[in-house]
Amino acid sequence: MIRCLVVDDEPLALNILEDYISKMPALQLVKATTNPIEALTMVQDGGIDLVFLDVQMPELTGIQFLRISNGKAKVILTTAYPQYALEGYELDVVDYLLKPIAFDRFFKSVQKAQAIIQPTTAPVVKAEPVQQDDFMSDFIFVKTEHKIQKVYLHDILFIEGLKDYVSIFTPAERIITLQGMKKMEDALPPKHFIRVHKSYIVSINKIDSIERSRIFIVDKVIPVGDTYRDQFFKIVDGKNI
């Protein structure tokens, strides 16, 4: 079993995670505490495999906790503040759960932790271009920090390319991978995905509306670049009624 520790200064958050952990046969809750200093001591003493760690705590922040613990246990960050995600990934966290945490999202996060803490001997499948059939069941594998993560195509809202990495946005999470936009574009079926800007690929199915040269997907506004405008609107025109 994976021995777990929950650290959060909010008792309600502790109770929710305790309940979720009790539903997972693979997890054993060692302790739930509001005291990060006590938790850090337990991690440094050994015997803890996985920590569910709040970011904003008065005595010791989750980021400080990560730096001091120096990788002695795997960590899943839990917080209401998404701006800490990138820094957390740079410190090798398993996952990043935004509050309020839904059980299905918690379940996926635990699966990621299991794959790292209790790896199988099954061969790793590398990312390959997928066929356009069976879109709902198609997926790609992307390399994140020290792991390879499966991403179902039907979950992808859009992809944003930054200087040294690519962010894949789904309704549940942002997945950060050291990947080039061209390679990502080649791995996706053009029937469902289109590049609309040097920094953006969008899922055609997820577009909510289009206003001039702006695409609206959920609460994100994505620009259409001059280089990609003609091809994008050609596809849009083909679906007009």
Side-chain angles (χ1 to χ4, degrees):
M1 297 181 72
I2 296 174
R3 294 160 296 185
C4 301
L5 177 63
V6 182
V7 191
D8 200 304
D9 62 342
E10 298 177 6
L12 178 59
L14 288 181
N15 292 339
I16 291 171
L17 286 173
E18 284 183 88
D19 179 57
Y20 285 176
I21 289 170
S22 71
K23 293 177 168 63
M24 302 291 294
L27 302 183
Q28 175 189 354
L29 180 62
V30 177
K31 191 175 184 64
T33 179
T34 58
N35 186 337
I37 307 299
E38 176 190 25
L40 182 60
T41 301
M42 292 177 66
V43 169
Q44 291 178 326
D45 288 344
I48 301 296
D49 301 311
L50 179 64
V51 183
F52 293 91
L53 178 65
D54 187 25
V55 173
Q56 289 202 326
M57 294 179 289
E59 293 178 300
L60 187 72
T61 71
I63 300 300
Q64 291 170 331
F65 187 108
L66 277 167
R67 296 186 189 281
I68 298 170
S69 63
N70 199 27
K72 289 194 174 182
K74 294 300 179 183
V75 172
I76 295 173
L77 288 179
T78 62
T79 182
Y81 303 94
Q83 63 265 32
Y84 296 106
L86 182 57
E87 187 173 5
Y89 281 118
E90 289 173 348
L91 291 169
D92 195 26
V93 300
V94 173
D95 205 353
Y96 191 94
L97 294 177
L98 281 176
K99 298 176 181 177
I101 301 168
F103 180 75
D104 62 335
R105 183 66 184 85
F106 171 85
F107 185 88
K108 289 180 181 179
S109 192
V110 170
Q111 286 184 313
K112 292 180 187 179
Q114 283 183 282
I116 297 169
I117 297 169
Q118 300 171 332
T120 66
T121 57
V124 173
V125 181
K126 295 183 179 179
E128 296 290 344
V130 296
Q131 301 300 316
Q132 295 187 21
D133 301 323
D134 301 323
F135 178 63
M136 293 301 290
S137 61
D138 272 338
F139 56 85
I140 56 174
F141 284 104
V142 296
K143 293 181 180 180
T144 62
E145 284 290 326
H146 304 299
K147 64 180 182 289
I148 295 178
Q149 182 170 342
K150 178 193 280 187
V151 183
Y152 282 99
L153 299 188
H154 66 81
D155 284 337
I156 298 174
L157 298 172
F158 62 91
I159 296 165
E160 182 179 9
L162 299 172
K163 184 177 179 181
D164 298 317
Y165 59 90
V166 164
S167 293
I168 302 172
F169 289 82
T170 75
E173 62 182 327
R174 174 190 181 193
I175 302 163
I176 300 171
T177 175
L178 292 172
Q179 186 71 266
M181 283 290 281
K182 182 63 170 67
K183 187 173 181 181
M184 183 64 67
E185 183 180 8
D186 291 343
L188 297 169
K191 181 178 179 181
H192 298 288
F193 294 90
I194 182 170
R195 191 164 183 176
V196 298
H197 188 276
K198 66 179 182 180
S199 300
Y200 290 99
I201 298 169
V202 302
S203 171
I204 298 169
N205 296 336
K206 297 296 195 301
I207 295 174
D208 295 319
S209 62
I210 303 162
E211 181 182 318
R212 297 189 181 132
S213 292
R214 297 184 299 170
I215 298 168
F216 293 81
I217 299 178
V218 192
D219 58 353
K220 178 71 174 180
V221 181
I222 297 171
V224 180
D226 292 341
T227 305
Y228 306 92
R229 183 177 289 111
D230 289 348
Q231 180 62 25
F232 172 68
F233 282 104
K234 182 178 179 181
I235 291 174
V236 171
D237 290 342
K239 293 187 178 292
N240 280 344
I241 59 173

